[in-house]
Amino acid sequence: SQQGEEDPQALSIQEGENATMNCSYKTSINNLQWYRQNSGRGLVHLILIRSNEREKHSGRLRVTLDTSKKSSSLLITASRAADTASYFCATDAWGGSTLGRLYFGRGTQLTVWP
Amino acid sequence: DAGVIQSPRHEVTEMGQEVTLRCKPISGHDYLFWYRQTMMRGLELLIYFNNNVPIDDSGMPEDRFSAKMPNASFSTLKIQPSEPRDSAVYFCASSPRPNSPLHFGNGTRLTVT
């Protein structure tokens, strides 16, 4: 399966600390995306990193991609209680016949305590 | 832009009944996706469309499930007959082009008793 897998499944930290989530996948990709899901809501896109990029920043978010290890990490710096949510990575399939299809992992549940 | 709109937000029905979930994608988005989310299986892609044409329906669990996209602004996912194991949150998402970020609706929580 192409599906990405996030690690850890759950992460609990205090406000102000950094949160790091990891994602591993199995086959070559064009890009990797990270999404956030608040309880009872749909997923919201956070950041997209292309296969030829190694690092990308967006505000307090930092994403890295290591295609040789088929892994990515999402770092949230100076976390806030409002960052409490589930975080998912999603990958496409490079050269796949089903262009446009995204494969989602099971997610990391992040809890940030005030 | 109002985003992806799904209806209803909640649906409770009895086993054997027909269920129809609705989705209005973002205008101009050529791709539409139906996902199902459960604790056990996570987020599963059921089917997706490009320019109203189904591209990949390999995730549709059984013949009881069917999806249509009669025009660029509307899609339905129908379950007939429904079963308790169909209970899940069903999401619709759209995107303007392949491999670009998906825009999700807030989902329909389906409970089949």
Side-chain angles (χ1 to χ4, degrees):
Chain A
S1 167
Q2 170 70 15
Q3 189 176 39
E5 293 293 335
E6 292 89 346
D7 170 63
Q9 290 188 352
L11 181 61
S12 186
I13 59 174
Q14 294 290 132
E15 260 191 335
E17 294 180 341
N18 295 341
T20 300
M21 288 158 271
N22 302 297
C23 170
S24 60
Y25 56 93
K26 295 183 179 179
T27 65
S28 297
I29 60 172
N30 291 304
N31 66 56
L32 183 144
Q33 303 178 34
W34 284 91
Y35 289 78
R36 163 193 170 127
Q37 183 181 30
N38 286 76
S39 179
R41 307 298 295 271
L43 281 71
V44 174
H45 178 259
L46 294 176
I47 197 164
L48 180 153
I49 186 166
R50 302 189 190 286
S51 59
N52 61 355
E53 297 175 311
R54 291 296 166 258
E55 188 170 311
K56 204 161 182 180
H57 297 253
S58 176
R60 292 184 298 112
L61 304 182
R62 173 179 167 247
V63 169
T64 62
L65 179 64
D66 187 335
T67 53
S68 66
K69 295 181 180 178
K70 292 186 171 56
S71 67
S72 172
S73 67
L74 171 66
L75 168 68
I76 303 175
T77 59
S79 63
R80 306 165 182 168
D83 295 328
T84 294
S86 292
Y87 292 82
F88 296 85
C89 69
T91 56
D92 63 1
W94 183 85
S97 59
T98 51
L99 189 65
R101 177 171 183 153
L102 281 184
Y103 300 82
F104 283 84
R106 300 296 299 270
T108 292
Q109 172 60 50
L110 172 66
T111 302
V112 182
W113 299 99
Chain B
D1 197 325
V4 175
I5 300 173
Q6 291 186 247
S7 65
R9 284 282 278 141
H10 302 275
E11 177 80 39
V12 180
T13 190
E14 292 184 345
M15 183 174 63
Q17 296 298 306
E18 177 178 296
V19 175
T20 299
L21 311 181
R22 297 172 175 79
C23 174
K24 177 179 169 54
I26 292 173
S27 177
H29 283 195
D30 292 339
Y31 286 81
L32 183 139
F33 303 78
W34 281 101
Y35 283 89
R36 176 171 71 176
Q37 186 177 39
T38 61
M39 289 294 293
M40 290 294 294
R41 301 173 69 89
L43 202 62
E44 303 174 275
L45 176 65
L46 300 177
I47 185 171
Y48 78 96
F49 296 83
N50 178 25
N51 291 323
N52 313 339
V53 177
I55 301 301
D56 182 358
D57 65 354
S58 60
M60 296 286 263
E62 311 171 24
D63 291 346
R64 298 185 297 106
F65 285 69
S66 63
K68 294 182 180 179
M69 193 164 186
N71 56 63
S73 60
F74 184 65
S75 177
T76 60
L77 178 67
K78 185 175 293 186
I79 309 172
Q80 164 65 20
S82 59
E83 297 182 3
R85 60 192 167 122
D86 301 331
S87 297
V89 181
Y90 290 81
F91 288 102
C92 176
S94 69
S95 71
R97 54 192 169 276
N99 302 328
S100 62
L102 299 187
H103 299 253
F104 281 79
N106 280 324
T108 295
R109 181 174 294 277
L110 173 65
T111 304
V112 184
T113 60

